[in-house]
Amino acid sequence: MTATRAAILVVDDEPRSVEVIARVLGEDFDVHTALGAAEALTILENEWIQAIFCDQRMVERSGVDLLTEVRGRWPDIVRIIVTGYTDPSDMIGAINEAGIHQFITKPWHPDQLMLAAQGATRLYQLQRDYDRLSLELKLAAPAAQARVVERHEKVLANFHFDALVRAPDSPLNEVCRSAAQVAAFDIPVLILGETGTGKELLSRAIHYSSLRSERPFFAVNCGAIPDELLESELFGHKKGSFTGAHTNRIGLLDQADGGTVLLDEIGDVSPAFQVKLLRFLQEGEIRPVGSNDVKRVNVRVLAATHRDLAAEVKTGRFREDLYYRLAALTLTLPPLRERRGDLRALTQRLLDHLCATHGKRVKGFTAEALGCIEAYDWPGNVRELQNEVTRMLVLAGGEHLGADLLSPHVVHGAAAASAKAMPFETAIRDTGPLKDRVERMEALILMETLVRCRWNKSRAAEELGLSRVGLRAKLERYGIARDDAFARSH
């Protein structure tokens, strides 16, 4: 299918001149000709013209006069004057009144005419595209705004305090209540807690519940970055300020202007960097590395650490003045071992998320698996729990995640709790008669094996090299039975 050629109008009261220009341009364009202004206006009213080549000196009406009217009635048409005169007054009038795109002086070269026509029709098309896109953007603005609002509401829902999964009587409830109260006040907050307890999640909840919720939130792990790079990360740097600084960099504090920055693992920063950070907190000013320019920024600072900063201050490893700048209010997140009542809801939420992420569906956990999960101390907290649930989901071959999918150390913890005995390492180090210590070890081994075998006594007896009768006797001797916590349905 042949593409429609661009239409050009040639206007001149000399027939020979019109004929020659039309012949040159006719190779690539649909050329219309007019021997005067009246004929030209008739063509313009009936044809879709993209560019007009008009002679300046015509008897009936000058080119500038005609093109001025064209500009008013058909402003998108690209207007070009062809003239054998270079009167400055004519040129100024053409520019001011007719909005002329280009002058072509006689005698012209065919290539000159062709290039002018190509440029004019291309400009016309660009103008049309711009107008179309402007209209589409104007029409799309409400829809785009609605999408932004929808996404913002989704972010608020994902990072609200309700996103910290917990039971109705969870010890985390008091922390969340305090955090919600302080969120609206523009003061620094120090969040303490073991690694993996959700300090960053609580920080995001504070930010998205504050008056800064529509501004940026950035989190930087201060303990994982050397001083030089941390300074560049937060304050920015100028090109050439140090080896590898190939371009200027805007620091996170500048990018977060009006928003919030979380300084995670603040207890791990060096004394030298503590001084630089203190100056920023006092003055509210940043100076990029290698620059003499100082810029004020408005940023709310939240800080988090797994260390006891008050103890660090007493030993001199952390500046006291910086500590009080960061800790207008201190929140402490409890570890999972102090939130055992939250484990069922939290484990299920993690499983739902992981199923959606990995595209694998299961119905849930067996009672034995949940019992093991609730009995274990989870020293790595939520991160360790998430890794364990991921492992179980990946290895699962059925509809339910059983205790046999748990890591051995998790099962050991459940066995110790259910048998009301000490962990293996403690039992070995414990004092007392050898017979009592061996019995405690034996009880732990029996319980761990039964849990791992999902209380299949035949399988456990075979693994331990015992008969079913012998296994039953040992269970009765040590008082080992399926704990009620293990028997509860999911």
Side-chain angles (χ1 to χ4, degrees):
M1 182 176 178
T2 305
T4 303
R5 300 199 306 176
I8 290 178
L9 173 62
V10 179
V11 184
D12 197 326
D13 58 0
E14 295 182 9
R16 177 61 181 166
S17 179
V18 169
E19 179 184 346
V20 174
I21 294 176
R23 187 166 57 247
V24 171
L25 299 180
E27 297 180 6
D28 293 338
F29 301 95
D30 182 11
V31 180
H32 300 263
T33 59
L35 295 176
E39 187 178 351
L41 291 174
T42 300
I43 293 173
L44 289 169
E45 289 171 349
N46 294 279
E47 301 291 341
W48 183 23
I49 302 299
Q50 298 183 20
I52 181 170
F53 286 72
C54 184
D55 184 47
Q56 166 61 3
R57 296 293 178 92
M58 295 187 294
V59 175
E60 178 187 352
R61 192 175 181 185
S62 73
V64 168
D65 188 32
L66 171 62
L67 294 182
T68 300
E69 182 178 349
V70 171
R71 182 185 189 184
R73 297 177 62 183
W74 300 281
D76 290 342
I77 296 177
V78 181
R79 299 166 295 278
I80 298 174
I81 283 286
V82 181
T83 180
Y85 305 91
T86 57
D87 186 346
S89 62
D90 287 344
M91 298 176 67
I92 293 172
I95 294 172
N96 293 338
E97 298 171 21
I100 298 304
H101 170 65
Q102 187 175 351
F103 284 90
I104 296 178
T105 58
K106 299 177 181 179
W108 42 259
H109 190 279
D111 290 344
Q112 184 183 12
L113 277 184
M114 187 62 72
L115 288 173
Q118 291 171 348
T121 53
R122 176 60 178 161
L123 176 60
Y124 179 89
Q125 189 59 46
L126 290 173
Q127 289 174 339
R128 298 279 292 187
D129 290 344
Y130 175 80
D131 292 341
R132 175 179 56 81
L133 290 173
S134 297
L135 178 60
E136 289 180 358
L137 286 173
K138 184 177 181 179
L139 295 174
Q145 184 177 3
R147 286 196 297 270
V148 169
V149 171
E150 181 183 355
R151 288 195 174 189
H152 184 65
E153 290 176 350
K154 188 174 181 180
V155 167
L156 290 178
N158 288 337
F159 293 110
H160 196 262
F161 292 106
D162 292 339
L164 281 80
V165 181
R166 57 196 187 275
D169 58 348
S170 171
L172 193 59
N173 290 337
E174 185 58 36
V175 178
C176 290
R177 276 193 292 269
S178 298
Q181 285 182 306
V182 77
F185 296 91
D186 209 10
I187 61 173
V189 179
L190 177 63
I191 303 173
L192 304 178
E194 296 178 6
T195 300
T197 49
K199 296 187 291 295
E200 183 174 338
L201 191 60
L202 183 65
S203 299
R204 288 184 182 274
I206 292 173
H207 168 72
Y208 287 110
S209 298
S210 73
L211 298 177
R212 298 174 179 263
S213 61
E214 296 185 358
R215 301 298 299 165
F217 174 91
F218 292 107
V220 56
N221 189 335
C222 300
I225 308 175
D227 273 11
E228 297 79 8
L229 295 181
L230 182 58
E231 184 177 4
S232 171
E233 184 78 6
L234 290 176
F235 302 122
H237 65 246
K238 303 296 287 184
K239 178 181 179 181
S241 57
F242 55 86
T243 303
H246 301 301
T247 59
N248 293 337
R249 176 185 176 85
I250 300 175
L252 289 184
L253 293 172
D254 195 356
Q255 295 179 52
D257 193 17
T260 306
V261 169
L262 168 64
L263 303 177
D264 200 5
E265 299 303 345
I266 188 67
D268 293 342
V269 298
S270 70
F273 191 77
Q274 290 177 32
V275 175
K276 298 176 182 178
L277 189 57
L278 178 63
R279 184 181 182 281
F280 161 70
L281 293 172
Q282 289 173 335
E283 307 297 334
E285 297 177 343
I286 60 172
R287 186 173 64 183
V289 179
S291 173
N292 293 322
D293 298 328
V294 174
K295 181 177 182 180
R296 294 193 64 83
V297 293
N298 176 20
V299 176
R300 183 181 191 178
V301 174
L302 306 178
T305 180
H306 69 283
R307 299 182 182 277
D308 183 348
L309 274 197
E312 296 285 301
V313 169
K314 291 180 180 179
T315 60
R317 287 191 292 268
F318 199 85
R319 293 182 63 97
E320 185 177 21
D321 46 5
L322 178 58
Y323 172 74
Y324 288 115
R325 280 282 178 180
L326 295 171
L329 180 76
T330 300
L331 300 173
T332 302
L333 284 170
L336 276 187
R337 62 182 174 275
E338 298 177 9
R339 299 172 49 198
R340 296 188 191 275
D342 298 343
L343 279 167
R344 290 200 172 216
L346 181 57
T347 303
Q348 188 59 50
R349 175 69 67 86
L350 289 172
L351 179 60
D352 293 341
H353 172 72
L354 291 167
C355 284
T357 300
H358 299 291
K360 185 175 182 179
R361 301 301 304 176
V362 295
K363 291 184 176 179
F365 300 88
T366 64
E368 288 83 5
L370 284 173
C372 290
I373 289 171
E374 289 178 329
Y376 182 59
D377 278 347
W378 300 106
N381 294 294
V382 179
R383 290 178 189 168
E384 183 184 4
L385 177 61
Q386 181 173 351
N387 289 342
E388 193 66 29
V389 175
T390 303
R391 165 197 164 92
M392 296 176 75
L393 178 64
V394 170
L395 296 178
E399 294 181 341
H400 291 86
L401 305 183
D404 55 316
L405 298 174
L406 288 164
S407 301
H409 67 275
V410 177
V411 178
H412 291 163
S418 185
K420 297 179 176 61
M422 293 177 289
F424 286 110
E425 296 81 357
T426 304
I428 292 173
R429 294 193 301 268
D430 192 23
T431 60
L434 177 61
K435 179 176 178 296
D436 294 342
R437 296 170 65 186
V438 170
E439 286 180 351
R440 285 195 291 269
M441 293 287 292
E442 186 176 38
L444 286 171
I445 293 171
L446 288 170
M447 189 65 200
E448 186 273 333
T449 305
L450 282 166
V451 171
R452 186 160 37 78
C453 294
R454 303 178 68 176
W455 290 90
N456 185 321
K457 294 180 181 179
S458 297
R459 180 180 166 189
E462 180 181 357
E463 181 178 320
L464 295 169
L466 299 171
S467 65
R468 280 185 59 87
V469 175
L471 175 61
R472 185 166 58 250
K474 287 184 178 292
L475 297 181
E476 292 175 355
R477 177 183 177 184
Y478 296 123
I480 296 176
R482 289 184 82 164
D483 191 88
D484 289 342
F486 282 71
R488 289 197 302 266
S489 61
H490 174 45

PDB file of all heavy atoms in Angstrom, residues 16-43:
ATOM      1  N   ARG A  16       5.348  30.514 -15.489  1.00  0.00           N
ATOM      2  CA  ARG A  16       6.588  29.765 -15.741  1.00  0.00           C
ATOM      3  C   ARG A  16       7.269  29.376 -14.428  1.00  0.00           C
ATOM      4  O   ARG A  16       7.739  28.253 -14.247  1.00  0.00           O
ATOM      5  CB  ARG A  16       7.530  30.610 -16.599  1.00  0.00           C
ATOM      6  CG  ARG A  16       8.884  29.986 -16.876  1.00  0.00           C
ATOM      7  CD  ARG A  16       8.745  28.690 -17.634  1.00  0.00           C
ATOM      8  NE  ARG A  16      10.050  28.067 -17.873  1.00  0.00           N
ATOM      9  CZ  ARG A  16      10.217  26.820 -18.268  1.00  0.00           C
ATOM     10  NH1 ARG A  16       9.164  26.031 -18.465  1.00  0.00           N
ATOM     11  NH2 ARG A  16      11.432  26.345 -18.485  1.00  0.00           N
ATOM     12  N   SER A  17       7.308  30.301 -13.487  1.00  0.00           N
ATOM     13  CA  SER A  17       7.940  30.041 -12.193  1.00  0.00           C
ATOM     14  C   SER A  17       7.185  28.943 -11.434  1.00  0.00           C
ATOM     15  O   SER A  17       7.785  28.046 -10.837  1.00  0.00           O
ATOM     16  CB  SER A  17       7.979  31.330 -11.356  1.00  0.00           C
ATOM     17  OG  SER A  17       8.557  31.091 -10.089  1.00  0.00           O
ATOM     18  N   VAL A  18       5.836  29.019 -11.465  1.00  0.00           N
ATOM     19  CA  VAL A  18       5.027  27.998 -10.793  1.00  0.00           C
ATOM     20  C   VAL A  18       5.293  26.628 -11.402  1.00  0.00           C
ATOM     21  O   VAL A  18       5.439  25.612 -10.694  1.00  0.00           O
ATOM     22  CB  VAL A  18       3.527  28.356 -10.887  1.00  0.00           C
ATOM     23  CG1 VAL A  18       2.650  27.181 -10.436  1.00  0.00           C
ATOM     24  CG2 VAL A  18       3.221  29.587 -10.059  1.00  0.00           C
ATOM     25  N   GLU A  19       5.358  26.587 -12.723  1.00  0.00           N
ATOM     26  CA  GLU A  19       5.543  25.307 -13.427  1.00  0.00           C
ATOM     27  C   GLU A  19       6.886  24.670 -13.072  1.00  0.00           C
ATOM     28  O   GLU A  19       6.979  23.458 -12.824  1.00  0.00           O
ATOM     29  CB  GLU A  19       5.455  25.564 -14.942  1.00  0.00           C
ATOM     30  CG  GLU A  19       5.660  24.311 -15.778  1.00  0.00           C
ATOM     31  CD  GLU A  19       5.664  24.631 -17.256  1.00  0.00           C
ATOM     32  OE1 GLU A  19       5.268  25.736 -17.659  1.00  0.00           O
ATOM     33  OE2 GLU A  19       6.094  23.743 -18.031  1.00  0.00           O
ATOM     34  N   VAL A  20       7.937  25.462 -13.015  1.00  0.00           N
ATOM     35  CA  VAL A  20       9.266  24.920 -12.732  1.00  0.00           C
ATOM     36  C   VAL A  20       9.343  24.381 -11.293  1.00  0.00           C
ATOM     37  O   VAL A  20       9.856  23.282 -11.050  1.00  0.00           O
ATOM     38  CB  VAL A  20      10.343  25.997 -12.958  1.00  0.00           C
ATOM     39  CG1 VAL A  20      11.719  25.478 -12.528  1.00  0.00           C
ATOM     40  CG2 VAL A  20      10.392  26.402 -14.436  1.00  0.00           C
ATOM     41  N   ILE A  21       8.835  25.163 -10.332  1.00  0.00           N
ATOM     42  CA  ILE A  21       8.877  24.711  -8.939  1.00  0.00           C
ATOM     43  C   ILE A  21       8.049  23.435  -8.773  1.00  0.00           C
ATOM     44  O   ILE A  21       8.449  22.493  -8.080  1.00  0.00           O
ATOM     45  CB  ILE A  21       8.367  25.813  -7.994  1.00  0.00           C
ATOM     46  CG1 ILE A  21       9.319  27.020  -8.019  1.00  0.00           C
ATOM     47  CG2 ILE A  21       8.240  25.287  -6.563  1.00  0.00           C
ATOM     48  CD1 ILE A  21       8.842  28.196  -7.189  1.00  0.00           C
ATOM     49  N   ALA A  22       6.858  23.398  -9.423  1.00  0.00           N
ATOM     50  CA  ALA A  22       5.991  22.219  -9.317  1.00  0.00           C
ATOM     51  C   ALA A  22       6.668  20.989  -9.888  1.00  0.00           C
ATOM     52  O   ALA A  22       6.541  19.877  -9.359  1.00  0.00           O
ATOM     53  CB  ALA A  22       4.665  22.490 -10.022  1.00  0.00           C
ATOM     54  N   ARG A  23       7.415  21.165 -10.997  1.00  0.00           N
ATOM     55  CA  ARG A  23       8.097  20.027 -11.608  1.00  0.00           C
ATOM     56  C   ARG A  23       9.201  19.489 -10.699  1.00  0.00           C
ATOM     57  O   ARG A  23       9.383  18.280 -10.563  1.00  0.00           O
ATOM     58  CB  ARG A  23       8.672  20.437 -12.974  1.00  0.00           C
ATOM     59  CG  ARG A  23       9.248  19.245 -13.736  1.00  0.00           C
ATOM     60  CD  ARG A  23       9.499  19.574 -15.195  1.00  0.00           C
ATOM     61  NE  ARG A  23      10.386  20.701 -15.364  1.00  0.00           N
ATOM     62  CZ  ARG A  23      10.041  21.863 -15.863  1.00  0.00           C
ATOM     63  NH1 ARG A  23       8.780  22.089 -16.248  1.00  0.00           N
ATOM     64  NH2 ARG A  23      10.914  22.855 -16.007  1.00  0.00           N
ATOM     65  N   VAL A  24       9.930  20.382 -10.018  1.00  0.00           N
ATOM     66  CA  VAL A  24      11.001  19.954  -9.113  1.00  0.00           C
ATOM     67  C   VAL A  24      10.432  19.203  -7.908  1.00  0.00           C
ATOM     68  O   VAL A  24      10.902  18.119  -7.540  1.00  0.00           O
ATOM     69  CB  VAL A  24      11.832  21.171  -8.652  1.00  0.00           C
ATOM     70  CG1 VAL A  24      12.806  20.746  -7.539  1.00  0.00           C
ATOM     71  CG2 VAL A  24      12.596  21.783  -9.816  1.00  0.00           C
ATOM     72  N   LEU A  25       9.401  19.774  -7.300  1.00  0.00           N
ATOM     73  CA  LEU A  25       8.863  19.181  -6.074  1.00  0.00           C
ATOM     74  C   LEU A  25       7.929  18.006  -6.343  1.00  0.00           C
ATOM     75  O   LEU A  25       7.652  17.201  -5.453  1.00  0.00           O
ATOM     76  CB  LEU A  25       8.100  20.239  -5.264  1.00  0.00           C
ATOM     77  CG  LEU A  25       8.922  21.438  -4.785  1.00  0.00           C
ATOM     78  CD1 LEU A  25       8.031  22.401  -3.997  1.00  0.00           C
ATOM     79  CD2 LEU A  25      10.105  20.986  -3.930  1.00  0.00           C
ATOM     80  N   GLY A  26       7.436  17.906  -7.572  1.00  0.00           N
ATOM     81  CA  GLY A  26       6.472  16.858  -7.895  1.00  0.00           C
ATOM     82  C   GLY A  26       7.036  15.448  -7.822  1.00  0.00           C
ATOM     83  O   GLY A  26       6.263  14.483  -7.823  1.00  0.00           O
ATOM     84  N   GLU A  27       8.340  15.295  -7.790  1.00  0.00           N
ATOM     85  CA  GLU A  27       8.932  13.964  -7.691  1.00  0.00           C
ATOM     86  C   GLU A  27       8.598  13.293  -6.356  1.00  0.00           C
ATOM     87  O   GLU A  27       8.429  12.076  -6.296  1.00  0.00           O
ATOM     88  CB  GLU A  27      10.450  14.062  -7.859  1.00  0.00           C
ATOM     89  CG  GLU A  27      10.888  14.577  -9.218  1.00  0.00           C
ATOM     90  CD  GLU A  27      12.408  14.658  -9.327  1.00  0.00           C
ATOM     91  OE1 GLU A  27      13.089  14.196  -8.379  1.00  0.00           O
ATOM     92  OE2 GLU A  27      12.901  15.182 -10.332  1.00  0.00           O
ATOM     93  N   ASP A  28       8.496  14.107  -5.270  1.00  0.00           N
ATOM     94  CA  ASP A  28       8.282  13.532  -3.944  1.00  0.00           C
ATOM     95  C   ASP A  28       7.012  14.017  -3.250  1.00  0.00           C
ATOM     96  O   ASP A  28       6.640  13.453  -2.206  1.00  0.00           O
ATOM     97  CB  ASP A  28       9.470  13.872  -3.028  1.00  0.00           C
ATOM     98  CG  ASP A  28      10.754  13.181  -3.474  1.00  0.00           C
ATOM     99  OD1 ASP A  28      10.667  12.161  -4.174  1.00  0.00           O
ATOM    100  OD2 ASP A  28      11.842  13.676  -3.115  1.00  0.00           O
ATOM    101  N   PHE A  29       6.349  15.030  -3.819  1.00  0.00           N
ATOM    102  CA  PHE A  29       5.210  15.618  -3.123  1.00  0.00           C
ATOM    103  C   PHE A  29       4.020  15.761  -4.062  1.00  0.00           C
ATOM    104  O   PHE A  29       4.156  15.763  -5.288  1.00  0.00           O
ATOM    105  CB  PHE A  29       5.588  16.992  -2.548  1.00  0.00           C
ATOM    106  CG  PHE A  29       6.747  16.954  -1.583  1.00  0.00           C
ATOM    107  CD1 PHE A  29       8.044  17.212  -2.020  1.00  0.00           C
ATOM    108  CD2 PHE A  29       6.534  16.641  -0.248  1.00  0.00           C
ATOM    109  CE1 PHE A  29       9.112  17.162  -1.140  1.00  0.00           C
ATOM    110  CE2 PHE A  29       7.594  16.592   0.641  1.00  0.00           C
ATOM    111  CZ  PHE A  29       8.893  16.843   0.195  1.00  0.00           C
ATOM    112  N   ASP A  30       2.855  15.895  -3.423  1.00  0.00           N
ATOM    113  CA  ASP A  30       1.626  16.197  -4.166  1.00  0.00           C
ATOM    114  C   ASP A  30       1.524  17.717  -4.252  1.00  0.00           C
ATOM    115  O   ASP A  30       1.201  18.379  -3.269  1.00  0.00           O
ATOM    116  CB  ASP A  30       0.430  15.605  -3.411  1.00  0.00           C
ATOM    117  CG  ASP A  30      -0.883  15.833  -4.139  1.00  0.00           C
ATOM    118  OD1 ASP A  30      -0.834  16.266  -5.305  1.00  0.00           O
ATOM    119  OD2 ASP A  30      -1.947  15.590  -3.534  1.00  0.00           O
ATOM    120  N   VAL A  31       1.814  18.278  -5.427  1.00  0.00           N
ATOM    121  CA  VAL A  31       1.955  19.724  -5.570  1.00  0.00           C
ATOM    122  C   VAL A  31       0.682  20.334  -6.147  1.00  0.00           C
ATOM    123  O   VAL A  31       0.156  19.881  -7.176  1.00  0.00           O
ATOM    124  CB  VAL A  31       3.155  20.071  -6.472  1.00  0.00           C
ATOM    125  CG1 VAL A  31       3.297  21.592  -6.613  1.00  0.00           C
ATOM    126  CG2 VAL A  31       4.431  19.467  -5.913  1.00  0.00           C
ATOM    127  N   HIS A  32       0.185  21.388  -5.480  1.00  0.00           N
ATOM    128  CA  HIS A  32      -0.933  22.204  -5.971  1.00  0.00           C
ATOM    129  C   HIS A  32      -0.370  23.571  -6.350  1.00  0.00           C
ATOM    130  O   HIS A  32       0.525  24.085  -5.662  1.00  0.00           O
ATOM    131  CB  HIS A  32      -2.005  22.356  -4.895  1.00  0.00           C
ATOM    132  CG  HIS A  32      -2.602  21.050  -4.443  1.00  0.00           C
ATOM    133  ND1 HIS A  32      -3.782  20.571  -4.949  1.00  0.00           N
ATOM    134  CD2 HIS A  32      -2.159  20.116  -3.553  1.00  0.00           C
ATOM    135  CE1 HIS A  32      -4.067  19.407  -4.378  1.00  0.00           C
ATOM    136  NE2 HIS A  32      -3.071  19.115  -3.525  1.00  0.00           N
ATOM    137  N   THR A  33      -0.911  24.174  -7.394  1.00  0.00           N
ATOM    138  CA  THR A  33      -0.387  25.464  -7.851  1.00  0.00           C
ATOM    139  C   THR A  33      -1.502  26.494  -7.896  1.00  0.00           C
ATOM    140  O   THR A  33      -2.671  26.185  -8.143  1.00  0.00           O
ATOM    141  CB  THR A  33       0.243  25.338  -9.248  1.00  0.00           C
ATOM    142  OG1 THR A  33      -0.748  24.870 -10.178  1.00  0.00           O
ATOM    143  CG2 THR A  33       1.417  24.364  -9.212  1.00  0.00           C
ATOM    144  N   ALA A  34      -1.110  27.765  -7.660  1.00  0.00           N
ATOM    145  CA  ALA A  34      -2.051  28.883  -7.718  1.00  0.00           C
ATOM    146  C   ALA A  34      -1.331  30.079  -8.310  1.00  0.00           C
ATOM    147  O   ALA A  34      -0.167  30.345  -7.977  1.00  0.00           O
ATOM    148  CB  ALA A  34      -2.581  29.214  -6.323  1.00  0.00           C
ATOM    149  N   LEU A  35      -2.041  30.839  -9.213  1.00  0.00           N
ATOM    150  CA  LEU A  35      -1.429  31.987  -9.877  1.00  0.00           C
ATOM    151  C   LEU A  35      -1.772  33.307  -9.187  1.00  0.00           C
ATOM    152  O   LEU A  35      -1.593  34.379  -9.767  1.00  0.00           O
ATOM    153  CB  LEU A  35      -1.875  32.044 -11.351  1.00  0.00           C
ATOM    154  CG  LEU A  35      -1.394  30.866 -12.207  1.00  0.00           C
ATOM    155  CD1 LEU A  35      -1.962  30.969 -13.619  1.00  0.00           C
ATOM    156  CD2 LEU A  35       0.127  30.832 -12.254  1.00  0.00           C
ATOM    157  N   GLY A  36      -2.282  33.219  -7.961  1.00  0.00           N
ATOM    158  CA  GLY A  36      -2.576  34.415  -7.203  1.00  0.00           C
ATOM    159  C   GLY A  36      -3.149  34.063  -5.842  1.00  0.00           C
ATOM    160  O   GLY A  36      -3.437  32.895  -5.527  1.00  0.00           O
ATOM    161  N   ALA A  37      -3.381  35.104  -5.037  1.00  0.00           N
ATOM    162  CA  ALA A  37      -3.815  34.891  -3.654  1.00  0.00           C
ATOM    163  C   ALA A  37      -5.216  34.302  -3.589  1.00  0.00           C
ATOM    164  O   ALA A  37      -5.501  33.408  -2.779  1.00  0.00           O
ATOM    165  CB  ALA A  37      -3.765  36.218  -2.891  1.00  0.00           C
ATOM    166  N   ALA A  38      -6.137  34.797  -4.449  1.00  0.00           N
ATOM    167  CA  ALA A  38      -7.520  34.316  -4.396  1.00  0.00           C
ATOM    168  C   ALA A  38      -7.575  32.825  -4.722  1.00  0.00           C
ATOM    169  O   ALA A  38      -8.270  32.053  -4.036  1.00  0.00           O
ATOM    170  CB  ALA A  38      -8.373  35.115  -5.378  1.00  0.00           C
ATOM    171  N   GLU A  39      -6.870  32.429  -5.772  1.00  0.00           N
ATOM    172  CA  GLU A  39      -6.846  31.010  -6.154  1.00  0.00           C
ATOM    173  C   GLU A  39      -6.202  30.172  -5.051  1.00  0.00           C
ATOM    174  O   GLU A  39      -6.648  29.056  -4.756  1.00  0.00           O
ATOM    175  CB  GLU A  39      -6.085  30.854  -7.469  1.00  0.00           C
ATOM    176  CG  GLU A  39      -6.158  29.450  -8.032  1.00  0.00           C
ATOM    177  CD  GLU A  39      -5.440  29.325  -9.372  1.00  0.00           C
ATOM    178  OE1 GLU A  39      -5.035  30.370  -9.935  1.00  0.00           O
ATOM    179  OE2 GLU A  39      -5.271  28.181  -9.845  1.00  0.00           O
ATOM    180  N   ALA A  40      -5.173  30.708  -4.402  1.00  0.00           N
ATOM    181  CA  ALA A  40      -4.491  29.988  -3.316  1.00  0.00           C
ATOM    182  C   ALA A  40      -5.429  29.742  -2.148  1.00  0.00           C
ATOM    183  O   ALA A  40      -5.473  28.645  -1.568  1.00  0.00           O
ATOM    184  CB  ALA A  40      -3.262  30.779  -2.860  1.00  0.00           C
ATOM    185  N   LEU A  41      -6.239  30.773  -1.777  1.00  0.00           N
ATOM    186  CA  LEU A  41      -7.156  30.620  -0.647  1.00  0.00           C
ATOM    187  C   LEU A  41      -8.227  29.580  -0.944  1.00  0.00           C
ATOM    188  O   LEU A  41      -8.655  28.832  -0.059  1.00  0.00           O
ATOM    189  CB  LEU A  41      -7.803  31.969  -0.317  1.00  0.00           C
ATOM    190  CG  LEU A  41      -6.854  33.020   0.269  1.00  0.00           C
ATOM    191  CD1 LEU A  41      -7.566  34.366   0.409  1.00  0.00           C
ATOM    192  CD2 LEU A  41      -6.316  32.565   1.617  1.00  0.00           C
ATOM    193  N   THR A  42      -8.677  29.527  -2.214  1.00  0.00           N
ATOM    194  CA  THR A  42      -9.670  28.516  -2.603  1.00  0.00           C
ATOM    195  C   THR A  42      -9.106  27.117  -2.425  1.00  0.00           C
ATOM    196  O   THR A  42      -9.781  26.210  -1.919  1.00  0.00           O
ATOM    197  CB  THR A  42     -10.095  28.733  -4.062  1.00  0.00           C
ATOM    198  OG1 THR A  42     -10.666  30.041  -4.197  1.00  0.00           O
ATOM    199  CG2 THR A  42     -11.114  27.687  -4.486  1.00  0.00           C
ATOM    200  N   ILE A  43      -7.851  26.919  -2.834  1.00  0.00           N
ATOM    201  CA  ILE A  43      -7.207  25.608  -2.679  1.00  0.00           C
ATOM    202  C   ILE A  43      -7.048  25.259  -1.206  1.00  0.00           C
ATOM    203  O   ILE A  43      -7.311  24.128  -0.779  1.00  0.00           O
ATOM    204  CB  ILE A  43      -5.846  25.604  -3.407  1.00  0.00           C
ATOM    205  CG1 ILE A  43      -6.052  25.723  -4.914  1.00  0.00           C
ATOM    206  CG2 ILE A  43      -5.060  24.329  -3.062  1.00  0.00           C
ATOM    207  CD1 ILE A  43      -4.762  25.898  -5.708  1.00  0.00           C
TER     208      ILE A  43
END
